[in-house]
Amino acid sequence: MLFFERDIAIDMGTTNVQVYVRGKGIALREPTVVAVDKVSGKLLKVGEEARRMMGRTPANIVAVHPLTAGVISDYDMTSRMIKELIDRVTSFSLFKPRVLICVPSSVTGVEERAVLDAAIEAGARKAYLLESAVATATGAGLDISRPTGYLIVDIGGGTTEVAVVSLNGVAECESLKVAGADFDEAIVRYIRRKHNVLIGTRTAEELKISIGSAMPAAAERRETVKGRCLVSGMPREVTVTSTEILEAFAEPLSRILETIHMVLERTPPELVSDISQNGMVLSGGGSLLPGIDKLIEKHTGIRTAVVDDPISCAAYGAGKTLARLNEMQDGMINLARRRQMKG
C-alpha cells in the first residue's frame, strides 16, 4: 500500500491547483499562486499564503500566477510549485512518486512537453498526462469506455473547455480563453463605464457570487460596493443591481454559447445523436453561476446538468484514473495516440 500511495494526480488550473493522493483522496486545494524574492530567486510561499500577499508585497517580492489560460506561462515557477506540492503530500520515501497531471484537450505538443518536464524536474519518477475533459467525465461517474458521446463543458478560472468524450478519449474539442476571471473583468468594465467608478477584481468576484446570474432573476437584488470615483479620485459607493450584472455578462456568455455551437457543428452526427440523448455536463467554478445550465439548455435544446462537485470533479476523476496507471502510456498524449493508431 505504501507504494501505491506514491501515485499522485494533480489538477492544475489557472486559478486553483488540487492534489489527489491515491488511497487518501484530495490532500491539497490551493490557489495557483507563488511568491518569489526577485533578488535571491528564493521561493517564499505557495498557494493561499502567496495569494494573500498579492498587491501587498515590497518591491523585491512578487506574487505570480505561473499558469495562464490553463497552460504554463512560467516554466521555472511551475516546476518549483509542483515540487513544493509533491513534498507536502508525500512523507520521506526511497521511491519517487508517479504523477498524473490534467491538461486541456487542446494542449499543443510543446505545452505537453513543458508540463512533463516540469513534473520530472519536480521529482516525479514517471509523468502521465490526462485530458481534463476525460478526468471530468470520469469524476462525474460517466461510463466513457463505451462508444457513446458525452459533451463536457468545463468553465474554469482562465479557460472554458468544450469537449466531446467517447471511448476514454476526446473526439472533438475547443478551448476558449473566456472563463470565470472574464466575468469578473466584465463587471469591472461595466461599473467603470456606467457609474464612473473603478472597483477591484476581488470586489467584482464578490458581486458575481452574491447577485450574479446567467438568467433574469425572479426578484431583482442589489448590492452596495465601494470603489474609486474616476472623476474626483475619491472613494465612492454605488448600488449595483442583478439586472446590471446580467448585462455585464452578456459578452462572455455569448462567446461560451458560440463555442458550444461550434463544437457541436464539428462533431460527427452519430455522436451528436448520443449527446442529445445523454445530455450535457457542466463543471468548473464558472458552472456555479446561477442559471448558466438553463441558459445553455435554452440555446442548444440539449438537457444540461451541473456535476455534484464542479470545483473538484476533474481532480476526483484523475484520482480514479490512478487505479489504471499501469495501463497508461507515460509521456506525451499526442505520441501515445500515434502509437495506438500504428498498433
Side-chain angles (χ1 to χ4, degrees):
M1 188 63 189
L2 181 64
F3 176 75
F4 289 131
E5 287 180 355
R6 303 270 68 81
D7 292 344
I8 297 168
I10 302 176
D11 177 24
M12 209 160 46
T14 307
T15 309
N16 294 292
V17 60
Q18 300 184 71
V19 181
Y20 187 107
V21 180
R22 188 174 179 187
K24 295 182 181 177
I26 293 179
L28 272 182
R29 286 187 181 92
E30 295 279 2
T32 314
V33 184
V34 294
V36 179
D37 187 323
K38 286 197 294 185
V39 179
S40 66
K42 185 182 177 184
L43 188 72
L44 301 175
K45 300 289 181 185
V46 169
E48 182 57 37
E49 290 179 322
R51 189 187 70 82
R52 286 201 294 264
M53 294 170 75
M54 294 189 85
R56 297 186 174 92
T57 60
N60 65 308
I61 297 173
V62 60
V64 296
H65 288 278
L67 276 82
T68 304
V71 294
I72 293 175
S73 57
D74 189 323
Y75 174 83
D76 183 49
M77 286 301 110
T78 303
S79 177
R80 290 162 77 178
M81 181 183 73
I82 293 173
K83 185 178 189 312
E84 170 71 18
L85 296 172
I86 290 174
D87 288 346
R88 282 193 202 176
V89 298
T90 56
S91 53
F92 174 75
S93 172
L94 296 174
F95 297 104
K96 288 184 175 182
R98 295 188 298 177
V99 178
L100 174 73
I101 299 180
C102 294
V103 292
S105 303
S106 54
V107 68
T108 66
V110 173
E111 290 161 352
E112 283 184 28
R113 176 52 60 195
V115 174
L116 289 167
D117 289 347
I120 296 296
E121 198 172 302
R125 183 170 92 253
K126 281 187 177 182
Y128 303 79
L129 300 180
L130 178 68
E131 290 144 316
S132 298
V134 174
T136 299
T138 305
L142 304 178
D143 182 7
I144 56 170
S145 63
R146 297 182 300 118
T148 185
Y150 294 93
L151 184 58
I152 310 295
V153 180
D154 186 356
I155 308 169
T159 57
T160 292
E161 189 171 30
V162 183
V164 178
V165 178
S166 177
L167 280 172
N168 291 322
V170 172
E172 187 59 69
C173 69
E174 188 67 43
S175 190
L176 174 69
K177 290 177 182 175
V178 172
D182 295 271
F183 286 108
D184 303 336
E185 292 292 343
I187 293 172
V188 172
R189 287 196 302 271
Y190 184 89
I191 293 176
R192 179 175 187 153
R193 186 175 69 246
K194 184 156 186 184
H195 297 282
N196 253 349
V197 169
L198 182 64
I199 63 168
T201 51
R202 195 167 294 183
T203 304
E205 186 181 15
E206 288 166 4
L207 269 177
K208 175 181 71 179
I209 293 167
S210 61
I211 61 172
S213 177
M215 295 281 279
E220 184 143 278
R221 291 164 294 160
R222 299 171 182 272
E223 282 282 349
T224 301
V225 293
K226 293 178 182 178
R228 188 175 76 240
C229 178
L230 293 169
V231 178
S232 66
M234 301 299 287
R236 183 180 154 200
E237 278 190 359
V238 291
T239 299
V240 184
T241 67
S242 55
T243 303
E244 289 178 314
I245 299 297
L246 182 59
E247 284 178 38
F249 287 167
E251 187 192 349
L253 284 172
S254 68
R255 292 191 62 190
I256 289 171
L257 290 169
E258 283 169 17
T259 304
I260 293 170
H261 279 287
M262 188 192 308
V263 170
L264 285 168
E265 284 171 4
R266 296 201 309 241
T267 302
E270 291 81 3
L271 288 174
V272 173
S273 174
D274 293 340
I275 291 163
S276 66
Q277 185 178 336
N278 296 330
M280 196 183 311
V281 174
L282 293 188
S283 72
S287 66
L288 294 171
L289 184 68
I292 194 164
D293 51 338
K294 299 290 184 289
L295 178 73
I296 293 172
E297 191 169 309
K298 179 183 172 186
H299 279 260
T300 61
I302 298 169
R303 178 172 47 83
T304 305
V306 180
V307 296
D308 290 339
D309 188 347
I311 305 288
S312 302
C313 187
Y316 283 118
K320 287 181 182 177
T321 307
L322 289 176
R324 56 184 186 87
L325 214 53
N326 292 331
E327 304 162 22
M328 291 180 67
Q329 172 72 48
D330 62 314
M332 296 170 72
I333 296 173
N334 291 341
L335 291 177
R337 283 191 190 128
R338 289 193 200 106
R339 289 191 192 104
Q340 284 168 4
M341 283 190 284
K342 284 177 184 175

